[in-house]
Amino acid sequence: MKLTQYFFPTLRDDPQEAQIVSHKLMLRGGFITQSSSGIYSWLPMGLKVLNKISDIIREEQNKVGHIEVLMPTIQSSDLWRESGRYEDYGKEMLRFTDRHDREMLYGPTNEELITDIFRTFIKSYKHIPLTLYQIQWKFRDEIRPRFGVMRGREFLMKDGYSFDLDMEGAKKSYKAHYEAYLRTFKRMGLTAIPVKADSGAIGGDMSHEFQILAQTGESTLYYDSEIENLNGQDLDIDKLQSLYAAAEEKHDPSICPVPADKLKVAKGIEVGHIFYFGTKYSDPFGATVMGSDGEPVTVHMGSYGIGVSRLVAAIIEASHDDNGIIWPEAVAPFKVGLVNLKPSDETTSALCEKFYVSALAKGIEILYDDRDERAGVKFADMDLIGLPFQVIIGPKGAATGRVEIKIRKTGERQDLSFEDALKLF
Ligand code: P5A
């Protein structure tokens, strides 16, 4: 993509309303723009990141046999009356009436709707275990939407729902999600710390939150410092599970098994949350299947969420410096940013064009800054948007066919021939 032909609405100055770095950088870099309180439009570069995150989630879910569906954002209140949550959910649920005076709502979550689909179609034990998931927008009328897409009112969630014959089966489904979530976050360059949690509005007996470390996190975590060492190595899930981690409310110093010098205290951002709630929804909905002995069995359920749009901000909180975002390669909007230091110079522009075309032919995602702007502006914008690699071409290098590579994360620079530079990607 050439910048002169792209839609790249950056802001020069720091937006006043942004209190945390991810919100500030997302607005400045033209990733999102606010439409109303807690509601955002995703601009081209932001949408690319959101889609990459969704794709990683999707791949890891499909790998373990979970099946994607897509449910509507708007739901009828009927199902929520059946579960008893219509009154319970309170003001966070956005309710309205249609032209026939039917009470409708914008879904804050989908346990009711998926249980209704299940009871309609699945009648035999032969079709379970089954996990259905979707990646769909949710609305929660948060009292204090803040920090941009970190706590929005409209936000994108991956929500999955498992159906099993009994508690033992449901625990296997829970474990499969737990492990798939750790693999998912790791692929995004994050260390996620699973902590036991309360099940709140979703309900149930067992629940874990997945927290990633960031100074601006809203939860305080206590955990064995060994967990951080596991980052970077092959993911040893059994080892991770055996280590101590707890959110502040659950941390009891008198029974904490970790010695003080190994216990870390840090802030975390909740990027995922999983629940086992048995028959809480299947019971009132009559979601039963015929068991192998011919008797009806009420299915055991769990639900599993990832904050997809929140992750965009959370990754920035975990990975940035004073100059801007440092995207992990797996979620970067483009892999390479090409900087033309002097578009008015024919040799420079010809070499840039050649690099751009060759990179595209190799299938490399490349953003070419071909704007007629000062070098300083281009460097600042490139650092701000945080692409993993920068290729810088100016008149001096172009005369001898050489280009400069800068690695965004380390700031390391290398002077390479055109061919060697291309081979790097
Ligand atoms: C699990 C899937 C649920 O709703 N029902 C379906 C369960 N869980 S949850 O914890 O309430 O939400 C799942 C994840 O969604 C993100 N999230 C948000 N992201 C941005 N803005 C919000 N206002 C918001 N609320 C929840 C979190 O990452 C949460 O873990």
Side-chain angles (χ1 to χ4, degrees):
M1 179 56 65
K2 291 187 178 177
L3 259 192
T4 51
Q5 287 159 28
Y6 203 36
F7 179 52
F8 181 54
T10 50
L11 303 178
R12 277 282 151 257
D13 300 313
D14 268 350
Q16 290 304 309
E17 71 269 32
Q19 297 162 27
I20 60 169
V21 69
S22 58
H23 190 195
K24 188 173 85 181
L25 293 172
M26 287 180 80
L27 291 170
R28 275 194 50 210
F31 290 84
I32 51 166
T33 185
Q34 184 174 314
S35 132
S36 58
S37 170
I39 304 180
Y40 292 83
S41 292
W42 290 79
L43 301 175
M45 200 110 70
L47 181 60
K48 266 177 159 278
V49 179
L50 193 65
N51 285 338
K52 290 213 164 168
I53 291 174
S54 303
D55 286 346
I56 292 176
I57 294 171
R58 198 173 267 126
E59 273 176 38
E60 292 299 325
Q61 289 299 307
N62 295 349
K63 253 188 221 166
V64 290
H66 301 162
I67 301 168
E68 187 170 9
V69 295
L70 187 59
M71 290 176 267
T73 53
I74 308 286
Q75 304 179 21
S76 154
S77 61
D78 296 350
L79 292 174
W80 287 73
R81 291 192 196 284
E82 245 183 280
S83 71
R85 276 210 292 184
Y86 192 62
E87 307 306 333
D88 289 356
Y89 219 94
K91 288 197 163 180
E92 262 194 26
M93 183 143 83
L94 180 65
R95 303 152 201 255
F96 45 91
T97 48
D98 69 10
R99 68 200 299 165
H100 304 295
D101 275 338
R102 279 190 288 250
E103 289 178 293
M104 311 296 284
L105 57 101
Y106 194 121
T109 177
N110 282 43
E111 279 79 7
E112 282 77 359
L113 202 47
I114 200 79
T115 310
D116 184 48
I117 291 173
F118 181 90
R119 74 174 164 188
T120 306
F121 294 106
I122 308 287
K123 306 286 184 194
S124 159
Y125 73 96
K126 289 180 187 155
H127 301 294
I128 54 178
L130 178 70
T131 290
L132 300 173
Y133 77 94
Q134 66 169 352
I135 296 178
Q136 176 63 296
W137 294 92
K138 305 284 183 289
F139 195 93
R140 291 182 186 172
D141 205 351
E142 300 273 352
I143 209 171
R144 259 183 301 280
R146 57 186 179 151
F147 304 155
V149 297
M150 189 76 87
R151 183 171 295 284
R153 293 200 294 164
E154 191 184 50
F155 60 98
L156 190 59
M157 191 201 287
K158 172 264 160 182
D159 45 323
Y161 306 87
S162 65
F163 301 89
D164 282 277
L165 272 188
D166 49 26
M167 193 208 273
E168 205 184 315
K171 291 212 159 138
K172 276 191 197 147
S173 296
Y174 189 90
K175 187 161 183 276
H177 279 90
Y178 185 102
E179 296 180 359
Y181 275 25
L182 288 174
R183 285 192 292 268
T184 302
F185 299 129
K186 186 170 169 64
R187 276 184 65 184
M188 296 172 193
L190 300 168
T191 310
I193 300 184
V195 298
K196 285 206 183 70
D198 289 325
S199 32
I202 308 294
D205 313 326
M206 185 164 67
S207 172
H208 280 89
E209 286 169 3
F210 291 78
Q211 299 270 354
I212 63 158
L213 299 177
Q215 279 164 1
T216 45
E218 292 186 287
S219 334
T220 304
L221 309 176
Y222 292 79
Y223 60 93
D224 190 326
S225 56
E226 192 60 30
I227 291 181
E228 276 180 39
N229 302 337
L230 285 179
N231 186 30
Q233 302 166 14
D234 285 345
L235 196 57
D236 185 345
I237 289 170
D238 290 337
K239 174 116 191 263
L240 185 73
Q241 261 181 306
S242 70
L243 296 169
Y244 179 82
E248 193 165 24
E249 324 77 79
K250 299 251 171 199
H251 174 67
D252 181 350
S254 65
I255 54 164
C256 173
V258 187
D261 61 328
K262 279 191 75 201
L263 187 71
K264 277 224 164 176
V265 187
K267 295 278 180 193
I269 299 171
E270 181 200 314
V271 291
H273 201 159
I274 61 178
F275 304 82
Y276 163 67
F277 43 71
T279 58
K280 176 173 175 181
Y281 300 91
S282 49
D283 206 12
F285 275 63
T288 57
V289 293
M290 189 190 65
S292 55
D293 57 0
E295 294 295 316
V297 183
T298 303
V299 293
H300 282 242
M301 293 176 59
S303 75
Y304 313 88
I306 295 181
V308 184
S309 46
R310 173 177 290 182
L311 266 169
V312 182
I315 291 171
I316 298 175
E317 290 295 331
S319 181
H320 66 271
D321 63 14
D322 288 347
N323 298 327
I325 302 167
I326 304 174
W327 288 116
E329 210 173 311
V331 302
F334 295 89
K335 183 174 181 183
V336 178
L338 173 62
V339 179
N340 182 339
L341 288 181
K342 201 166 185 201
S344 60
D345 180 66
E346 254 177 54
T347 321
T348 306
S349 288
L351 197 66
C352 282
E353 186 69 25
K354 192 170 156 202
F355 195 92
Y356 177 64
V357 172
S358 312
L360 284 182
K362 280 184 76 175
I364 297 164
E365 290 184 287
I366 181 165
L367 182 69
Y368 174 19
D369 190 349
D370 58 337
R371 293 174 303 173
D372 189 16
E373 281 281 2
R374 283 184 298 113
V377 171
K378 293 188 174 185
F379 288 144
D381 278 347
M382 227 13 123
D383 279 356
L384 170 66
I385 63 172
L387 310 183
F389 301 96
Q390 298 175 14
V391 175
I392 301 154
I393 305 184
K396 240 204 229 148
T400 54
R402 296 196 73 80
V403 309
E404 191 181 19
I405 306 287
K406 177 179 154 186
I407 297 170
R408 175 66 182 88
K409 190 174 177 181
T410 58
E412 190 188 327
R413 288 165 188 273
Q414 261 183 293
D415 178 66
L416 293 175
S417 71
F418 180 94
E419 286 74 22
D420 285 347
L422 202 57
K423 268 190 226 139
L424 268 187
F425 308 115

